[in-house]
Amino acid sequence: MAHVGVLEEFVAADLNVCCVAGTSAGAMVGAAFANGQLAAFRETMCALTRSRVLRLFDPIWPQSGLLEGRRSLELVRPHLGTTIESLGMPFAAVATDLDTGEEVVLRTGPVVEAVRASIAIPGLFTPLRLAKRILVDGGLVNPIPADVARALGADFVIAVSVLQVHPTILQRRTVRAGLTQQWSERLRRRWQKSPTASSPVLPQDNGTPATELGLVEILSRASTVVQARIAAARLREAPPDFVVHVPVRLGLFDFHRSREAIQAGRLAARQILPELREALHRALPLAERVQRWLDLATTRWPSPRSAAQSTRYRP
């Protein structure tokens, strides 16, 4: 849900988002955004109470998963749209083929089915059977799908991550527009000040001993650990142009804390906006930079001829 806050801050800052790709919960938020229903989606999620959240998850007799997940998707279905093709911008959800281990990028078909496949954490949610494939959580292969966004047509890719990926990995890559050595060093210092700086993965919430964790919580945290490791590798192999990390830690059934997560996303976005604007400016082609400078100069200091013409023809 932190992605909601980040996206709303981007919209408020007049940043033009032309396409969106998401994995797991990011796919659900991305679909609502692409459908122009992000505000309504936020209101729906923020209205949830803990008791209502628990009623949304439909346990089944353990076969291929503990939860079906249909009730929760019915809650947000009105905000996600009907088909991916009908959305207001290019959208893709990432899933994993359980048989082959291949990454599956869903760019057509029903939105709800694509989101359902992308959030199907193995062992927790039943897989989605689509055509001849058995699809599960896309976080197993691509938790931060920067390359998918680029394939959708993005010139400048901004990744939003809630995973605890250690920032030192960002210093081992070629410096690009949004990840300068200075930015990476700032992130490293922030990380060192964090109480969880010694570990690149999610710690146990509220100090709960591992022996007291339930099966669902163990499976959820195990999935998070795996995704954090995979995300680190994917950031090295297919890096985005800019990364927004939101330091929020919520459990699988903590949707009643959506307001808290959204606020964390807002704060993270506000903090990095100056650096992001600078990175976007540096990423512009030289010709476009020159043209923007000329347009600005013409607006501020019109030539004498232009001034005379505007005076002559002014009604």
Side-chain angles (χ1 to χ4, degrees), residues 270-310:
R270 289 172 190 168
Q271 288 177 357
I272 57 84
L273 267 177
E275 297 172 50
L276 177 55
R277 290 189 185 280
E278 182 182 351
L280 285 166
H281 176 72
R282 289 198 304 271
L284 285 175
L286 180 59
E288 189 172 346
R289 287 195 215 176
V290 172
Q291 185 60 51
R292 288 195 177 192
W293 184 89
L294 290 174
D295 292 342
L296 181 62
T298 303
T299 302
R300 290 186 176 179
W301 304 290
S303 65
R305 181 179 178 183
S306 298
Q309 289 176 343
S310 62

Side-chain angles (χ1 to χ4, degrees), residues 1 3 22-30 41 115 118-119 137 255:
M1 294 305 298
H3 300 71
T23 298
S24 197
M28 182 166 57
V29 175
F41 174 81
V115 172
S118 190
I119 66 174
D137 187 4
F255 285 109

Side-chain angles (χ1 to χ4, degrees), residues 182-201:
Q182 182 182 12
W183 182 86
S184 186
E185 178 62 20
R186 289 182 196 172
L187 186 56
R188 184 186 65 79
R189 288 198 298 267
R190 293 177 191 171
W191 182 275
Q192 288 178 339
K193 293 178 181 178
S194 170
T196 59
S198 61
S199 174
V201 297

Side-chain angles (χ1 to χ4, degrees), residues 5-55:
V6 174
L7 286 169
E8 289 188 332
E9 285 297 315
F10 285 175
V11 171
D14 292 327
L15 296 182
N16 182 29
V17 180
C18 64
C19 61
V20 61
T23 298
S24 197
M28 182 166 57
V29 175
F33 179 76
N35 193 41
Q37 292 289 316
L38 192 63
F41 174 81
R42 167 173 45 78
E43 292 303 317
T44 296
M45 299 305 293
C46 289
L48 292 174
T49 61
R50 184 171 182 80
S51 60
R52 190 180 178 194
V53 169
L54 294 177
R55 290 195 298 269

Side-chain angles (χ1 to χ4, degrees), residues 108-124:
T108 60
V111 179
V112 171
E113 295 298 310
V115 172
R116 173 64 178 81
S118 190
I119 66 174
I121 301 174
L124 283 179

